[in-house]
């Protein structure tokens, strides 16, 4: 159990277009989901915390108008990179914390590799 | 504020050698959870272990072992008889408090290369 999926696994887009990435918890409900960005040979950097039914909390330096997060249900959160530019090319990873547990682990999706041309 | 430091950015060993990956953490909370994750070249994070702040027992799982020492704020990870398949980036991470919905802070990662 505790599987998190991401779609798409990779995407290539032109500069100026928007890209939507989905994160789903397949066999559990997740009140809280997290979005991370990872540049080559670097660690994961938290972008935002997403709670079901409320606005996401963004980390300092992350543009909320550029990275739109929607957590419309207990099993789905989406990250939309609006007007993507080459510097947004990165590996985006989501994680989900299982609802109703106090001490459970966050479960990670397989990541989405975004390349902006 | 919490912080996780992995001082070793890259380690290279020959197969069958033992290797220890260091992790030092900082937190003001008395309740916290420590994790180790493995990230192979595919990119997907693989959960290895979770340890809470009240359980200082060391743990062994096959060739993997973990040494948690609150006195030195360290949570080191040892791979015994390393194999080529162990080559990956390993991350140590911390959640402050006891809610999985709290923020997970990652260390910078240690890239382990095991040569045949």
């Amino acid at each position: 159990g505790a599987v998190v999926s991401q779609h798409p696994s990779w995407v290539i887009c032109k500069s100026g277009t928007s890209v939507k990435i989905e994160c789903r918890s397949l066999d559990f409900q997740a009140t809280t989901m997290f979005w991370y960005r990872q540049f080559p040979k670097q660690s994961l950097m938290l972008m935002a915390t997403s709670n079901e039914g409320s606005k996401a909390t963004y980390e300092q330096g992350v543009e909320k108008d550029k990275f739109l997060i929607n957590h419309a249900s207990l099993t789905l959160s989406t990250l939309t990179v609006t007007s993507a530019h080459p510097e947004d090319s990165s590996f985006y990873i989501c994680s989900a914390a299982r609802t109703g547990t106090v001490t459970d682990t966050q479960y990670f999706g397989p990541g989405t590799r975004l390349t902006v041309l | 504020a919490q912080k996780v430091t992995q001082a070793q950015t890259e380690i290279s060993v020959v197969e069958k050698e033992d290797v220890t990956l260091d992790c030092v953490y900082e937190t003001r909370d008395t309740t916290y959870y420590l994790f180790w994750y493995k990230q192979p070249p595919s990119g997907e994070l693989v959960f290895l272990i979770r340890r809470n702040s009240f359980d200082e027992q060391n743990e062994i799982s096959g060739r993997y072992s973990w040494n948690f020492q609150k006195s030195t704020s360290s949570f080191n990870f040892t791979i015994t008889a390393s194999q080529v398949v162990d080559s990956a980036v390993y991350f140590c991470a911390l959640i402050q408090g006891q809610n999985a919905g709290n923020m997970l802070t990652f260390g910078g990662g240690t890239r382990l290369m095991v040569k045949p």
Side-chain angles (χ1 to χ4, degrees):
Chain A
V3 177
V4 176
S5 70
Q6 274 185 248
H7 178 81
S9 53
W10 59 270
V11 56
I12 302 173
C13 69
K14 291 182 179 179
S15 188
T17 60
S18 294
V19 174
K20 180 186 281 189
I21 302 170
E22 292 186 349
C23 176
R24 291 181 187 272
S25 55
L26 298 185
D27 50 2
F28 66 99
Q29 293 186 325
T31 304
T32 305
M33 289 184 172
F34 302 84
W35 287 96
Y36 298 84
R37 181 167 53 183
Q38 185 181 30
F39 291 109
K41 295 196 174 184
Q42 292 188 24
S43 187
L44 283 76
M45 297 301 296
L46 180 66
M47 299 175 67
T49 302
S50 163
N51 288 299
E52 185 263 340
S54 62
K55 289 185 178 179
T57 302
Y58 291 81
E59 294 301 301
Q60 199 169 15
V62 177
E63 300 174 58
K64 61 178 74 174
D65 294 330
K66 181 168 186 62
F67 298 99
L68 301 179
I69 291 172
N70 185 289
H71 193 159
S73 78
L74 287 172
T75 59
L76 173 64
S77 176
T78 60
L79 167 69
T80 301
V81 184
T82 62
S83 186
H85 291 286
E87 58 266 27
D88 298 323
S89 298
S90 187
F91 192 52
Y92 292 87
I93 306 173
C94 73
S95 73
R98 198 162 18 194
T99 300
T101 60
V102 175
T103 60
D104 211 338
T105 305
Q106 289 179 25
Y107 299 93
F108 284 84
T112 297
R113 196 164 300 279
L114 169 64
T115 302
V116 184
L117 301 176
Chain B
Q2 61 264 36
K3 184 179 176 183
V4 177
T5 303
Q6 294 178 255
Q8 307 145 308
T9 53
E10 281 192 17
I11 300 177
S12 181
V13 299
V14 177
E15 209 171 17
K16 296 185 184 176
E17 283 185 20
D18 298 347
V19 58
T20 296
L21 282 58
D22 298 333
C23 173
V24 174
Y25 63 91
E26 295 175 31
T27 177
R28 292 181 193 157
D29 217 312
T30 55
T31 302
Y32 52 89
Y33 286 80
L34 295 163
F35 301 81
W36 275 96
Y37 289 92
K38 174 182 180 180
Q39 188 177 41
S42 63
E44 183 163 1
L45 281 170
V46 178
F47 167 76
L48 296 178
I49 190 172
R50 178 187 72 200
R51 172 68 70 217
N52 77 57
S53 54
F54 300 109
D55 182 4
E56 280 194 80
Q57 266 195 330
N58 292 330
E59 181 153 340
I60 298 175
S61 176
R63 297 184 296 108
Y64 295 170
S65 62
W66 291 269
N67 185 316
F68 177 27
Q69 301 221 346
K70 285 177 77 169
S71 60
T72 55
S73 297
S74 65
F75 187 42
N76 297 338
F77 172 33
T78 297
I79 302 175
T80 303
S82 60
Q83 299 176 2
V84 173
V85 293
D86 296 327
S87 297
V89 180
Y90 290 86
F91 291 100
C92 181
L94 166 76
I95 283 182
Q96 200 162 263
Q98 59 181 14
N99 190 331
N102 292 344
M103 190 178 82
L104 188 60
T105 299
F106 283 88
T110 297
R111 183 176 300 274
L112 174 64
M113 292 171 285
V114 181
K115 299 177 182 176

